[in-house]
Amino acid sequence: MITTNTTAAELLALLDRWVELGWLRPLDRALAVFFIEQQPDTDARVLLAAALASHQLGHGHVCLDLAATLAEPDFALSLPPEGEEGLADVWLPSQWLASLTLEDWRQALACSPLVATSHEPERPLVLQGERLYLRRYWSYEQGVARALAARIADDRAVPGDLPDWLDRLFPEPLVLNGERQTDWQKLACALAASSGFTLITGGPGTGKTTTVVRLLALLQGTAGQPLRIRLAAPTGKAAARLTESIGAQVASLPVNEAVRAHIPAEVSTLHRLLGSLPDSRHFRHHAGNPLPLDVLVVDEASMIDLEMMHGLLAALPAHARLLLLGDKDQLASVEAGALLGDLCRDAEQGLYTPERLAWLEAVSGEQVAHPSLKAGEPGRHALAQRILMLRYSRRFAGVSGIGRLAEAVNRQQPELAREQLGGSEEVATVRIRGEQDRALNRLLHDGRGQALGYGHYLELLRDKRPAAGTAFDDSAWQDWAKGVLNAFDRFRLLCAVRRGPWGVEGLNARIAGLLHRRGLLEAEEGWYEGRPVLVTRNDYGLGLMNGDIGIALRLPEEDGRHVLRVAFPRNDGSGGLRFVLPSRLGEVETVFAMTVHKSQGSEFAHTALILPEALNPVLTKELLYTGITRARHWFTLLEPRKGVFEQAIQRRVERRSGLLESLTR
């Protein structure tokens, strides 16, 4: 147990054991060692808090919440990770923290020369209330809060013909089941026209992209001069999807060609937008060299971490409008922070003031009505006046089994969610009885019903290959490669965890072995034709982004040889491909199976989600919801043991931060 008498050596022995078990990163332990070197007499309670604050950053938390950690140490710290069993309870945090009280821990931290209380300079740790930060992340949080507060207060004059523009862009009332409904897309455009900052949230198919395209037409059409508009997304995959979607919609806008010509269709990644500097955390654009733009739209905002948002807001000129789009119910970024979830905490309730509601209804001609809406107060709910939630999904309408399942999970209704499994052709569940379960192997190879498995893309790779003698520069090779990539993207197996029999690492090897034994792959290790790979780190030299997926194909060279190259879709919206030699790809992994986190920003015709055998810290309703909503047409839940699904629905992601408190203070 950690007490006032615990020595630094005893603490390091504990941290060493946690590192050995894989519970703690060497980086977390190194921080404690660094502080011992700086202050040899540092209280062990302070050193432990510092190591745990660093550990929490690795799990997506901006800070260490002292009270939550003491209340449920193992859960708050996600230890052991991924629900590992068979380890002695003596090493669990709950054993080592049992003797600590909140007041004693706070007092030890407050008295330490390593810890500042808010604005005291030159101290590496910051204690704010019951939260302990590494100073850099405290600075990020404070900077984001200040920048957002200024933008929330940024009212914009609206054009006098705003109602006419809204009617032109939304010419028909929204009618469902014979009754007129509130058009939340139209309201979102009205809201955004009056502010320098707007956040539009909604689930899959609610029309976030449609809304922003019409909003850009409205802003450009009423500006009087061309606006410099940029579109961005956190990952290359998300950027490519938005590029494709916007390009298709701009052409159908009911505006003149001059307006249409100034709405960009190309979407870049945030790293490329800001100008990443090699081997550095810094960007070319910052407060001293702001982005040259008037409007910035950022899609998939749930994937933006705190550090990236801090850099983005710092580089955004004061006059520029900022529009954030995202699904508040999806998983947050892998890195520290849950910015969209924090900002949208009250989005369901709306909390619009009576004045704001009256203005929205007058300018849009819509009645702002929904059972979940509640009235807000001026001043207290300033943030809510900049947020709008889209509430009707055109992809998952009332008859959609996937939509009903996702809603039951999102509302944490486990019994209803279980009823939806198998309640339609779209949704099914498969009980797995072992690592070589026949039903699982059949699903992976053949799929189910109209939903095809991995056998489909490999059969297409083999059977549709251009005929022998086809010239190396014949477009047939490009068409074949595109067809293989598209077929592969029809199905994906998603995992909740990386390790263990139902994790990404083991399943990728087993699937490759299964397909090899069935004669569809020439090998199951190394580089082989048909191997799908996921890029795990941005490579600007090759034009590849973290999250890009490619497939190794044997393609002809000018000299007649056939060489293995990896085909990747281009991220510029052109629909073209780039071919890369495997020897040039350093940061890739096989991707028959991928984590739910890595799947964000993607959609597949058929998605299968496989759960581990026991509940663990990563299993939450947000993970289930994100996995389910990656499916466009079919979803399959794979269960080694019943009950885990229901348990996960009842748990929520709790990212620790003080952003909302800082924003409203």
Side-chain angles (χ1 to χ4, degrees), residues 399-472:
V399 297
S400 167
I402 296 173
R404 292 197 302 269
L405 175 62
E407 183 177 7
V409 167
N410 202 27
R411 296 188 179 279
Q412 296 187 284
Q413 298 172 319
E415 292 182 2
L416 180 59
R418 176 59 68 180
E419 289 177 12
Q420 301 303 325
L421 290 169
S424 71
E425 292 183 0
E426 301 171 13
V427 178
T429 182
V430 174
R431 179 73 184 278
I432 304 172
R433 304 188 184 280
E435 295 181 26
Q436 296 301 330
D437 183 87
R438 290 184 179 180
L440 172 61
N441 289 346
R442 187 164 55 250
L443 178 78
L444 294 170
H445 181 274
D446 301 323
R448 63 176 180 84
Q450 300 179 60
L452 303 174
Y454 289 132
H456 173 59
Y457 93 92
L458 290 169
E459 288 164 3
L460 188 150
L461 181 156
R462 179 191 61 200
D463 298 340
K464 299 297 182 180
R465 184 190 302 274
T470 303
F472 79 97

Side-chain angles (χ1 to χ4, degrees), residues 60-80:
H61 304 280
V62 177
C63 58
L64 174 70
D65 187 316
L66 302 177
T69 301
L70 290 178
E72 291 186 274
D74 303 338
F75 178 75
L77 299 172
S78 300
L79 297 179

Side-chain angles (χ1 to χ4, degrees), residues 336-555:
L339 189 124
L340 191 73
D342 284 343
L343 295 180
C344 291
R345 194 167 295 172
D346 297 323
E348 192 90 29
Q349 300 176 3
L351 296 181
Y352 301 120
T353 64
E355 294 79 11
R356 172 62 69 178
L357 278 176
W359 180 82
L360 281 171
E361 292 185 342
V363 77
S364 68
E366 296 290 318
Q367 182 181 0
V368 184
H370 194 273
S372 62
L373 290 180
K374 295 183 180 179
E377 301 174 17
R380 181 183 174 192
H381 296 124
L383 171 61
Q385 313 313 303
R386 306 305 191 198
I387 298 174
L388 190 133
M389 179 176 170
L390 303 176
R391 299 169 186 267
Y392 172 68
S393 175
R394 287 159 177 79
R395 188 203 305 176
F396 300 141
V399 297
S400 167
I402 296 173
R404 292 197 302 269
L405 175 62
E407 183 177 7
V409 167
N410 202 27
R411 296 188 179 279
Q412 296 187 284
Q413 298 172 319
E415 292 182 2
L416 180 59
R418 176 59 68 180
E419 289 177 12
Q420 301 303 325
L421 290 169
S424 71
E425 292 183 0
E426 301 171 13
V427 178
T429 182
V430 174
R431 179 73 184 278
I432 304 172
R433 304 188 184 280
E435 295 181 26
Q436 296 301 330
D437 183 87
R438 290 184 179 180
L440 172 61
N441 289 346
R442 187 164 55 250
L443 178 78
L444 294 170
H445 181 274
D446 301 323
R448 63 176 180 84
Q450 300 179 60
L452 303 174
Y454 289 132
H456 173 59
Y457 93 92
L458 290 169
E459 288 164 3
L460 188 150
L461 181 156
R462 179 191 61 200
D463 298 340
K464 299 297 182 180
R465 184 190 302 274
T470 303
F472 79 97
D473 56 354
D474 193 301
S475 62
W477 292 104
Q478 284 262 351
D479 294 340
W480 170 68
K482 286 181 186 178
V484 172
L485 282 164
N486 289 337
F488 178 71
D489 262 353
R490 287 186 58 79
F491 173 68
R492 192 73 81 252
L493 176 65
L494 303 184
C495 302
V497 297
R498 291 197 63 84
R499 299 196 296 259
W502 310 117
V504 165
E505 294 171 1
L507 280 166
N508 272 316
R510 290 214 304 277
I511 295 168
L514 167 71
L515 298 173
H516 174 58
R517 290 192 301 274
R518 297 194 175 187
L520 291 172
L521 292 178
E522 60 193 29
E524 56 185 286
E525 295 180 346
W527 282 103
Y528 49 83
E529 187 171 42
R531 180 190 177 191
V533 294
L534 173 77
V535 177
T536 58
R537 187 175 181 180
N538 292 343
D539 188 328
Y540 293 102
L542 294 176
L544 297 174
M545 299 293 111
N546 183 5
D548 285 354
I549 291 177
I551 296 178
L553 300 172
R554 194 162 280 109
L555 296 160

Side-chain angles (χ1 to χ4, degrees), residues 208-227:
K208 295 185 292 292
T209 305
T210 300
T211 302
V212 81
V213 168
R214 296 183 187 186
L215 173 60
L216 294 178
L218 187 156
L219 295 176
Q220 186 64 73
T222 58
Q225 60 183 6
L227 295 173

